[in-house]
Amino acid sequence: MTVFRPRATLASLALWAPLALAACGGGTAGGGGAGATPSGDILSLMQARGLSEADVSAALMTYTPTGKHDEYLTFASGGHGGQLLVIGVPSMRIIKYVGVFTPEPWQGYATGDVATERVLDGGNRFGKRVEWGDMHHPALSETGGDYDGQFIFVGDKANARVAVVGLSDFMTRQIVTSELIQSDHGAAFVTPNTDYVIETSQYPAPLGGGYAPIEEFNEKYRGAAIFWKFDRQRGRIDPTASWAIELPPYMQDLADAGKLVSDGWAFMNSVNSERSYGGNLEGRPSLESGASQGDMDYLHCINWRKAEELVKAGRTTTIVGMKVISLEVAAAEGVLFFVPEPKSPHGVDITPDGKDIVVGGKLDTHATVFSFEKIAALASAKKFVGKDPYGVPILDFKESIRGQCEIGLGPLHTQFDGNGFAYTSVFIESVVAKWSLKDLKVVHKLPMHYNIGHLCAAEGDTVSPDGKYLIGMNKWAMDRFSPVGPLLPQNFQLIDISGAGDMNLLYDMPIPLGEPHYAQMIKADKIKAIEYYTPVGTNPITHEKDPNATLAKQERIERRADGVHVWMTAVRSHFTPDTIRVKEGETVHLHITSVEQAFDATHGFALGSYDINLSIEPGRHCDVTFVADRAGVFPYYCTEFCSALHLEMAGYLLVEPKS
Ligand code: CUK
Ligand code: CUA
């Protein structure tokens, strides 16, 4: 049994001294230090729970007492769950799920509510609704390269969609998609003032969604980078002002926008310069082995400011409604350059000063640090070592890099603190490697459990990262949590990176949803969320008073040419009207307004068998349209326990049979 002796780190915790004093029932004031002795109560608690001194130290750094808020909010992708997760840091409490690519009944998102159904329909592919998405990379809106807390954008890899989520109410406002591309991965990434949201395809296919035999892969299959124009005033992407650049049929991977000195450029890496397209039952090598034959792939460097000029000058062709700069034009006009990068790279991350581009090697043991200054100089001097088969100029690898950091097995993604250190996830080795950007030397490795993918540091993608916290987003959980069958959660591990030296593991948090890929962590006080919708009857998508908003005493039922309209209000603890009579086969339009203006006084509206569930937050207006095609008696009720008479907040839809 080890005797508990507070270390300097423990004693230096601001929380520690008061806790020790309180626990000792007063004790001697004297600034904590080595003199602060834990009470018998704390010692026995530690013994009973088998906690070490390091455990208690970690607990003190993450424990967030009742009523206290977290310093940071992390927005994590919910992977193929299609939802966005909001997590408090350092407590690692899940605060919200935001329905984005998937209907979310609790929020009344696309489960009958017309406004949100339309948002989801914005992402329809080839005329069909898609009710799930594979969310990979959230990107907070930026002003001057810093997160501004207004919006967050996310990409759906499977269906090539990008969504806009408003952070005044954490609602998905818009989903856009272009059939130009059939998948994405380099999405979503924003330029430093959120002029553009970048979405880059992953798996090459004929542009626009047509068919071409796979044997014509090199000739007919292409990638593309879409630059979605964001209209901050309207809080919407403007598809008509958006454009794309055609790319060769390599598999473009992650992207990042330049900042400060490299503002105006975007970078994305790629795998499969071999242009392997599989066929392992047809006598060709499998896609995977064919794609990893060569030693180098291509880092794509895009001068998007120049591309923007070409678009303005009309140097585009239009494919499925999207203006596209052809590969030929992009290569000839100095928009697109390639730099070789080590075998099967994965992450590409721009340093906070915008000077360097860090690429993780995946099948290489290095993080390669490319110099923007060198790349830009070679590009403008037209100093090329050759061209790829599509005429894209290639710069010399050695002349483009500042150096390489020997990281370990399988470096993927990199984040930064504000103190000159980079943190790279090392997938195969299952560690986070902390290394110095100055001399490119690893200073510490912290084991992860297990197989880390992305990592996310406080304000980590901005021009001024905070350091402090890092989250390792681990792909496997294995023995970390209670067994729950073969499908296990993933494990987000919170790491203290505040010190100049070693990193410290603080907390394990299971993520029982999708496969979260990436996250961004923002200072919580940057987010100005509303407490309720005002004025009463606000449509949460337009943020304007809805034309069908219903105030108290305006409730009514009218029969019109297009069906039965019900203008309804919800308030603690009744719906008005609470009796709705219709005939079988009639179309029913419900216009429901919560006339509440009280914080957290949310009502729900569930109409079972008709597949309708709404969340009617205070002041929110919801519309529903359905055909009453089943005769019978259908209760509707409030799904949020809103008051002592919540159970009585109900009514009946009476559908009278035709005959
Ligand atoms: S990816 Cu998942 S670990 Cu989609 Cu950014 Cu690298
Ligand atoms: Cu309203 Cu329960």
Side-chain angles (χ1 to χ4, degrees):
M1 168 68 223
T2 33
V3 179
F4 177 77
R5 271 187 222 95
R7 302 179 297 178
T9 53
L10 237 186
S12 66
L13 285 164
L15 275 172
W16 175 249
L19 176 68
L21 289 178
C24 297
T28 43
T37 315
S39 72
D41 283 358
I42 292 177
L43 264 179
S44 50
L45 259 175
M46 287 172 67
Q47 279 167 16
R49 298 207 61 217
L51 300 177
S52 69
E53 187 183 317
D55 295 334
V56 175
S57 177
L60 290 177
M61 291 185 73
T62 53
Y63 177 68
T64 305
T66 180
K68 288 252 162 57
H69 291 191
D70 282 295
E71 186 182 0
Y72 290 94
L73 288 182
T74 292
F75 291 85
S77 88
H80 39 295
Q83 301 174 358
L84 183 69
L85 288 84
V86 187
I87 301 162
V89 176
S91 74
M92 301 307 274
R93 297 177 294 195
I94 293 181
I95 298 172
K96 195 163 191 175
Y97 290 154
V98 181
V100 182
F101 296 119
T102 304
E104 211 298 319
W106 166 59
Q107 293 155 67
Y109 177 73
T111 48
D113 168 66
V114 170
T116 53
E117 296 276 0
R118 278 195 196 127
V119 170
L120 193 56
D121 281 338
N124 288 0
R125 297 281 301 177
F126 302 102
K128 269 210 177 139
R129 169 175 289 193
V130 185
E131 296 216 325
W132 65 281
D134 184 15
M135 190 187 292
H136 277 241
H137 305 100
L140 287 153
S141 59
E142 295 180 11
T143 301
D146 262 317
Y147 304 149
D148 56 40
Q150 293 183 0
F151 299 95
I152 188 160
F153 308 90
V154 287
D156 165 14
K157 171 167 169 162
N159 307 292
R161 296 183 289 179
V162 169
V164 182
V165 177
L167 295 182
S168 66
D169 60 354
F170 290 56
M171 287 274 289
T172 303
R173 302 247 177 108
Q174 184 187 26
I175 297 178
V176 294
T177 187
S178 170
E179 287 151 8
L180 183 71
I181 58 176
Q182 307 312 316
S183 62
D184 69 33
H185 197 207
F189 295 88
V190 299
T191 54
N193 283 308
T194 324
D195 297 307
Y196 290 102
V197 182
I198 301 169
E199 182 193 20
T200 305
S201 62
Q202 175 128 83
Y203 304 112
L207 292 184
Y211 173 80
I214 200 145
E215 289 74 16
E216 295 172 21
F217 190 87
N218 294 352
E219 301 76 35
K220 302 264 176 75
Y221 288 42
R222 290 291 179 269
I226 300 177
F227 286 73
W228 292 103
K229 179 78 183 142
F230 184 60
D231 179 343
R232 192 187 286 265
Q233 228 56 47
R234 289 185 54 243
R236 296 290 188 280
I237 282 168
D238 180 358
T240 64
S242 305
W243 43 268
I245 300 172
E246 179 189 4
L247 299 172
Y250 313 132
M251 290 178 186
Q252 283 76 27
D253 203 42
L254 295 202
D256 202 0
K259 54 187 113 168
L260 301 174
V261 285
S262 53
D263 188 8
W265 287 71
F267 304 89
M268 52 208 55
N269 44 32
S270 62
V271 298
N272 197 16
S273 56
E274 299 84 352
R275 290 175 291 170
S276 162
Y277 52 82
N280 49 12
L281 260 189
E282 301 179 4
R284 293 188 301 270
S286 71
L287 207 162
E288 167 216 13
S289 75
S292 43
Q293 293 305 307
D295 283 332
M296 290 298 214
D297 286 293
Y298 294 122
L299 173 68
H300 294 35
C301 308
I302 293 176
N303 184 339
W304 64 258
R305 282 251 163 72
K306 192 151 228 174
E308 198 177 39
E309 285 166 23
L310 294 177
V311 174
K312 283 193 185 125
R315 303 282 306 277
T316 54
T317 43
T318 300
I319 306 173
V320 289
M322 178 65 70
K323 292 186 265 293
V324 183
I325 299 173
S326 71
L327 246 178
E328 213 185 336
V329 172
E333 298 292 338
V335 161
L336 179 64
F337 302 91
F338 288 161
V339 189
E341 53 184 356
K343 204 173 182 149
S344 297
H346 188 41
V348 55
D349 297 282
I350 316 294
T351 50
D353 58 14
K355 288 183 180 168
D356 295 326
I357 302 135
V358 179
V359 170
K362 210 164 75 181
L363 295 185
D364 185 74
T365 54
H366 297 98
T368 303
V369 181
F370 294 86
S371 156
F372 172 72
E373 199 185 348
K374 291 182 176 181
I375 289 173
L378 291 171
S380 72
K382 300 204 160 90
K383 224 181 138 202
F384 308 136
V385 291
K387 289 188 171 175
D388 90 326
Y390 302 91
V392 181
I394 302 171
L395 312 182
D396 184 67
F397 171 70
K398 287 238 165 68
E399 287 189 40
S400 300
I401 67 170
R402 177 158 79 79
Q404 290 185 296
C405 177
E406 179 75 43
I407 298 269
L409 289 179
L412 297 185
H413 300 286
T414 301
Q415 286 278 279
F416 308 97
D417 63 16
N419 308 313
F421 291 103
Y423 300 80
T424 298
S425 53
V426 196
F427 179 76
I428 298 170
E429 219 180 299
S430 274
V431 298
V432 173
K434 173 180 178 177
W435 51 283
S436 157
L437 280 169
K438 200 161 153 229
D439 57 16
L440 313 187
K441 290 268 183 323
V442 171
V443 296
H444 182 225
K445 280 184 176 179
L446 182 73
M448 291 282 99
H449 303 277
Y450 303 80
N451 292 32
I452 178 172
H454 270 278
L455 31 60
C456 154
E459 304 257 328
D461 286 305
T462 69
V463 294
S464 56
D466 285 5
K468 287 193 176 187
Y469 299 111
L470 182 81
I471 297 174
M473 306 176 69
N474 306 333
K475 301 295 183 191
W476 291 32
M478 292 176 71
D479 57 7
R480 295 292 110 166
F481 307 109
S482 304
V484 288
L487 181 61
L488 268 61
Q490 297 201 353
N491 183 6
F492 280 15
Q493 289 191 301
L494 181 68
I495 300 160
D496 168 22
I497 56 164
S498 58
D502 289 1
M503 299 168 279
N504 253 320
L505 183 63
L506 298 178
Y507 196 77
D508 283 7
M509 179 211 197
I511 299 285
L513 186 74
E515 184 196 317
H517 286 262
Y518 190 41
Q520 283 191 334
M521 197 191 304
I522 182 175
K523 203 84 198 303
D525 61 13
K526 285 187 177 178
I527 290 177
K528 310 283 180 234
I530 57 170
E531 296 189 342
Y532 46 81
Y533 292 104
T534 197
V536 162
T538 295
N539 176 318
I541 303 306
T542 63
H543 280 260
E544 284 169 2
K545 188 169 171 178
D546 195 276
N548 282 306
T550 315
L551 301 183
K553 308 262 190 281
Q554 295 176 350
E555 301 94 345
R556 64 202 185 278
I557 300 176
E558 280 178 25
R559 281 196 158 64
R560 292 183 175 178
D562 65 346
V564 184
H565 286 255
V566 182
W567 283 275
M568 185 188 284
T569 58
V571 72
R572 277 162 288 170
S573 301
H574 50 272
F575 295 108
T576 309
D578 57 9
T579 311
I580 302 171
R581 298 167 193 275
V582 300
K583 297 247 154 54
E584 182 184 349
E586 276 187 314
T587 299
V588 182
H589 308 274
L590 304 178
H591 311 291
I592 314 177
T593 300
S594 164
V595 297
E596 302 272 6
Q597 289 284 270
F599 194 22
D600 206 12
T602 295
H603 300 288
F605 178 92
L607 179 57
S609 307
Y610 276 105
D611 196 18
I612 290 160
N613 190 55
L614 310 176
S615 171
I616 327 173
E617 297 101 82
R620 178 171 169 179
H621 178 79
C622 297
D623 289 310
V624 181
T625 291
F626 63 98
V627 179
D629 51 8
R630 271 150 292 169
V633 173
F634 302 95
Y636 52 86
Y637 69 97
C638 172
T639 43
E640 291 272 344
F641 210 111
C642 53
S643 71
L645 291 171
H646 151 77
L647 292 175
E648 292 83 346
M649 188 166 175
Y652 283 100
L653 170 73
L654 304 164
V655 185
E656 201 182 313
K658 264 184 193 145
S659 49

